[in-house]
Amino acid sequence: MSKEIKGPNLDRRGFMGASTLGTGAALVGLGAAGCAMAQEASANPAEGAPQVDFPEDPRLFGGSGTNRTEMDLRDCEVEGDWPKDLDGAFYRVGPDPQYPKPEEWEGDIPFDGEGHVSMFRIKDGHVDYKTRYARNARWNAQAEARRSLFGMYRNPGTDDPSVAGLNRGTANTQLFTHHGKLLVFKEDSPPVAMDPLTLETTDPEYTFGGKLQSQTHTAHPKIDPLTGEFISFGYEANGFLSKDVNVFTADKDGNITWSVTVEAPYAGMMHDFCATQDYVVLYLTNMAADADLIAEGGPHFRYNSQLPCYLGVLRRGGDGSDIKWFTGPNLFCTHVMGGWNEGTKITVDMDGGEGNQFPFFPSLHEPWDPVKGTGYLRRFTVDLADGGDSYEAVTIFPEITGVLARQDDRYHTLPYRWGFLQANGGWAIIDHQEGSSRVFSIDGTSLSEMCFVPRTPDAPEGDGYLIGLGSVQTEGGRSDLILLDLANVDAGPRARVKMPYRCVGQVHGWWADASAITAA
Ligand SMILES: [Fe+2]
């Protein structure tokens, strides 16, 4: 007998897999069936915790597989010519449901799983693997109760009363090393700080010494390669559904040096952003925070194709009063590849579709369209000196469809040559200088998002490796860590770490040189 699915739902394994058109496009045909109605009652703690029994229906939260196991594997099996001088760590994080949801919230979206961090520590040709959950307030409360206490995605009205007012952050999206800390991000909450080597949670709510002037923090901060500054922002900064966006920088020691709050045209998803040498560029998508949907017990956002997307530009170091919002072709963009400014002319490259890339969020006006959700690389330009109020956006490298754009991070804020995309289970390598592209793939293996690893800390741009996880389809999804030498792509993987199991899933990953993980 089939089971009626009450909430927005999807195949988590499909989502967490490597090949997507848009970030959520693996969910074709699963359909968001509307939203669960408001919670009427939660489990009574006095009745004791239920058995841990994840649903078998892959459309349900956790129903298509969880990992949940915190692991240590010393000396992983390494094949090929692993560079002996590579010294650093490859970190990953993704949602891994800690507990099954109560039945009324089984239709929750996979973005709501608790953040499980994994690390491949690489040194002297050896690779050690370690995973730990980000043990924040949410994780600890649920661990103590031995059950799920949080309802729908970013909807506190659906929570168990026992956790009212508790930080709901899951720390499941991206992670980042800076001033000796591994910071783990979910864009609805401050970071979680972990020890970069032991993965011990050292601060479940890291607020930069209490100086963070936002209740939220993006999953995609940047580092200015010329100064080492940490550049970041948080949307819905002053509370649930607020239009406030806090933008700030911290110095290389983590001291906040600049902080302003600006107002967006409406409250909507602002997943990534771009910093140039002189400006901060925000991008507001029409995945709008929806009070009505939230009141109905839904998952915070509803896609509204009739709302314009906005590019917001403000000067770094200013008081924020210069913020200017531009409109143009409505593109649902989620990740920035790179960007820079030449005087008042700003260029930003983002991947995105013409329409919604997250089908598990309800749509206000039309059903999800996988064609419109297909991701291409889009180049946005705006010249502040023009005095206009619109941006230009063109598709570049139209032969490549993909998502999860990356670059050699040492060139963020600057003109850049090399960019990378996850492209249908492979890795697209973009050469902006030559205007060329190619896709690296491995037969029978789906590749997750990759990171660029410089061959040496001061190697030229693009001289190094791509590192990322592969899921071997013929072996039940067993994981390989793949290292591709960009100097010899035709040779295939230079080396791989053959894991004995399917590793915990990821949204994003991060490479940290040894100098970033040993600094106190
Ligand atoms: Fe992201």
Side-chain angles (χ1 to χ4, degrees):
M1 180 182 294
S2 63
K3 182 175 182 178
E4 180 186 359
I5 308 301
K6 294 170 64 180
N9 51 73
L10 72 163
D11 180 340
R12 178 178 173 277
R13 178 163 290 167
F15 165 71
M16 296 300 288
S19 180
T20 54
L21 293 175
T23 306
L27 314 170
V28 177
L30 294 177
C35 298
M37 299 305 290
Q39 183 181 24
E40 294 179 355
S42 60
N44 182 353
E47 297 173 354
Q51 293 295 303
V52 175
D53 183 7
F54 282 91
E56 296 179 5
D57 188 329
R59 298 171 298 171
L60 298 175
F61 184 80
S64 55
T66 61
N67 182 290
R68 303 180 74 222
T69 310
E70 296 178 316
M71 295 183 173
D72 285 279
L73 176 57
R74 185 170 174 82
D75 276 318
C76 300
E77 181 180 357
V78 177
E79 296 181 345
D81 178 25
W82 194 271
K84 299 287 190 299
D85 60 350
L86 201 58
D87 188 359
F90 178 53
Y91 299 98
R92 305 160 58 247
V93 67
D96 187 13
Q98 183 184 3
Y99 287 102
K101 297 277 182 178
E103 185 174 358
E104 62 263 50
W105 311 123
E106 281 183 329
D108 194 12
I109 69 170
F111 284 170
D112 214 21
E114 285 70 26
H116 195 164
V117 173
S118 57
M119 172 182 70
F120 291 91
R121 175 70 174 106
I122 297 163
K123 183 178 174 60
D124 299 328
H126 298 285
V127 180
D128 300 328
Y129 178 69
K130 178 188 289 291
T131 86
R132 294 290 186 274
Y133 271 105
R135 299 193 175 199
N136 57 3
R138 174 180 176 132
W139 193 94
N140 285 323
Q142 295 188 145
E144 184 172 347
R146 291 182 178 269
R147 64 185 176 94
S148 172
L149 298 171
F150 294 84
M152 288 297 284
Y153 176 79
R154 294 176 71 171
N155 189 339
T158 62
D159 293 346
D160 188 277
S162 67
V163 293
L166 206 66
N167 185 337
R168 305 184 82 258
T170 49
N172 69 10
T173 311
Q174 173 61 310
L175 65 191
F176 198 108
T177 47
H178 196 265
H179 58 286
K181 303 179 188 305
L182 177 65
L183 301 176
V184 192
F185 306 109
K186 175 71 182 183
E187 66 194 42
D188 68 349
S189 50
V192 173
M194 301 176 84
D195 182 290
L197 285 173
T198 68
L199 302 188
E200 175 192 1
T201 297
T202 55
D203 191 337
E205 186 173 305
Y206 182 68
T207 57
F208 296 82
K211 301 293 177 56
L212 180 63
Q213 296 178 5
S214 174
Q215 298 178 26
T216 62
H217 188 286
T218 181
H220 290 288
K222 313 296 180 196
I223 294 176
D224 185 325
L226 302 187
T227 64
E229 284 179 294
F230 181 99
I231 312 165
S232 193
F233 79 102
Y235 69 94
E236 295 189 41
N238 284 321
F240 205 57
L241 298 173
S242 86
K243 295 189 288 185
D244 295 327
V245 183
N246 177 249
V247 186
F248 73 96
T249 57
D251 65 20
K252 60 183 176 52
D253 298 316
N255 303 303
I256 289 183
T257 52
W258 173 60
S259 177
V260 295
T261 297
V262 298
E263 186 173 293
Y266 56 88
M269 184 185 288
M270 304 172 73
H271 181 63
D272 199 352
F273 82 123
C274 180
T276 74
Q277 277 297 297
D278 298 314
Y279 299 99
V280 165
V281 185
L282 305 168
Y283 194 67
L284 173 62
T285 67
N286 48 7
M287 184 64 79
D290 191 310
D292 293 338
L293 180 66
I294 291 167
E296 295 166 6
H300 198 86
F301 291 117
R302 179 149 44 198
Y303 178 68
N304 184 346
S305 60
Q306 303 303 306
L307 281 174
C309 297
Y310 286 92
L311 193 79
V313 180
L314 70 158
R315 187 166 45 86
R316 281 175 63 179
D319 64 4
S321 61
D322 59 314
I323 180 78
K324 185 166 183 178
W325 295 95
F326 299 86
T327 57
N330 238 19
L331 295 167
F332 189 87
C333 293
T334 48
H335 292 105
V336 171
M337 178 173 281
W340 70 94
N341 75 284
E342 297 165 281
T344 56
K345 184 178 179 184
I346 298 165
T347 303
V348 181
D349 296 335
M350 292 187 270
D351 67 73
E354 293 180 359
N356 177 21
Q357 294 197 310
F358 298 130
F360 39 84
F361 287 115
S363 179
L364 190 58
H365 297 293
E366 63 283 291
W368 180 66
D369 182 341
V371 174
K372 287 188 174 180
T374 300
Y376 290 91
L377 192 57
R378 320 282 185 169
R379 173 156 289 181
F380 290 71
T381 53
V382 64
D383 192 337
L384 299 174
D386 284 350
D389 56 7
S390 62
Y391 58 74
E392 293 185 5
V394 297
T395 301
I396 55 176
F397 301 95
E399 72 276 17
I400 299 291
T401 58
V403 292
L404 303 167
R406 303 297 296 249
Q407 70 173 153
D408 179 339
D409 291 315
R410 299 171 303 164
Y411 284 78
H412 198 78
T413 75
L414 301 171
Y416 73 106
R417 175 176 179 178
W418 296 100
F420 313 100
L421 279 172
Q422 185 208 41
N424 301 323
W427 292 339
I429 302 165
I430 304 282
D431 182 347
H432 289 285
Q433 179 175 300
E434 297 297 325
S436 63
S437 66
R438 65 179 301 177
V439 176
F440 165 77
S441 60
I442 302 174
D443 286 346
T445 296
S446 294
L447 299 176
S448 297
E449 180 215 52
M450 86 309 288
C451 290
F452 173 79
V453 182
R455 194 174 306 277
T456 59
D458 57 355
E461 184 191 1
D463 180 18
Y465 313 96
L466 294 183
I467 194 169
L469 226 67
S471 180
V472 184
Q473 301 304 313
T474 54
E475 299 179 40
R478 188 189 57 74
S479 299
D480 277 343
L481 178 65
I482 303 293
L483 188 76
L484 178 70
D485 191 334
L486 287 169
N488 194 3
V489 173
D490 290 335
R494 173 163 167 173
R496 70 178 73 201
V497 176
K498 187 176 180 181
M499 299 300 289
Y501 36 64
R502 182 189 184 103
C503 291
V504 62
Q506 72 175 83
V507 177
H508 291 295
W510 178 258
W511 169 260
D513 180 75
S515 63
I517 60 178
T518 54

